[in-house]
Structures are given as C-alpha cells and as structure tokens.
Amino acid sequence: MANELTSDVRRATTWSIAISVLMIAAGVLAIALPSSAGIAVTALVGWLLVFSGVLHLAFAWRGGRAGAVVWEILLGLAYGIVGFYVLANPVAGLASLTFAVAVYLFVEGVLEFAASFQLRPAPGAGWLLVDGIITLVLAIMIWSTWPSSAAWVVGTLIGISMFFSGITRLMLSLAVRRIVA
C-alpha cells in the first residue's frame, strides 16, 4: 500500500514538476517578448468576451420577463461587439487593458494606503503602507507613459506572475516528493 502511494505521489509530482518548468519557461518568454505576450492575453480576453456574449444571448430567453430578456440580449450584444472589436484591433485592446491595469493598481494602492492608516497600531501595518506606496508608484508609472506602456505592461506582468507561480509550484512539488521519500 505504501509503495503504491509513493508511486502515485511520484507520478503526480513528476507531472507537476513538468508543468512548473513549462510555466517558468513561458514566464521568461513573456518577459522577453512582452508585446507578443500582451497581444496573446488581449486575444484571450477578446475570445472570453465573445463567449460571454454568446452565453448571454443563449440564456436571454430564460429571463422570464420581457425587460430581463431585452437586458440580457443587450448585454450579450455588448459583450460580443466589444470582444470582436478587441480581436479585430488587438493593439487598441491591449492599450485599453493596460489603462485598466493602471486604474486597478491606482485604486488598490489608495485602498492599501488607507488601510495602513486604519491599522496603524497593529503589527505589520507598515507593510501595507509600503505595498500601497509601491502600487501607487507602479500605477503612476504605467499611467504617465500610457499608451506607449501598453507595449510592455500586460506581457511583463503576466510573465512575472507565470514565472513566480512556476517557481512556487516547483518548490511545492519538490517538497511533497521529499516528504514522501
């Protein structure tokens, strides 16, 4: 029984390690080619919008009341039109996505800054302040160079996230393997 469990864990961690290495490689590639990675993410967002539009249209008839049906149809059309626009104009879509990231980071930074003052006597509240300041600086950097920052922001951020997620997954997989061995 123990040998079977060890074999199963070894097989699962082998796959996890392989996926981790692929994630790390994809992250490095996205960081090296941020424009291409950004366009790829923009295309994914465009297809998700089209798919959401189709789902809204398909389920519109389940709304019951006429107003709900009309609202779902309008939402479906809006999602679909925006999705097709993003797919047809990926550079404009990437610029919009970059602007949305800047706005998101700005709001996050302000909220973390405010939370740090509310939690000021608590231990660790200073880290919220530091995080808020760094997030605000990043938002301002992206915003001040927009739309030219669209060429690197999304791809670089996705690449960094994939790289560190891959490293984390790799370390966890290796730790599980050591525990079982």
Side-chain angles (χ1 to χ4, degrees), residues 38-96:
I39 294 293
V41 169
T42 302
L44 177 64
V45 169
W47 281 112
L48 289 172
L49 287 168
V50 168
F51 182 68
S52 295
V54 169
L55 289 178
H56 273 285
L57 291 173
F59 291 107
W61 312 113
R62 304 190 117 244
R65 299 182 329 266
V69 170
V70 169
W71 184 248
E72 285 295 323
I73 290 171
L74 291 174
L75 275 175
L77 290 173
Y79 273 90
I81 290 168
V82 171
F84 280 120
Y85 178 79
V86 167
L87 290 171
N89 303 293
V91 174
L94 182 58
S96 299

Side-chain angles (χ1 to χ4, degrees), residues 30-31 34 101 105 138 142 152-162:
I31 292 168
V101 167
L105 289 173
L138 184 57
I142 294 168
W152 63 268
V153 168
V154 174
T156 303
L157 293 177
I158 294 295
I160 291 169
S161 176
M162 288 171 56

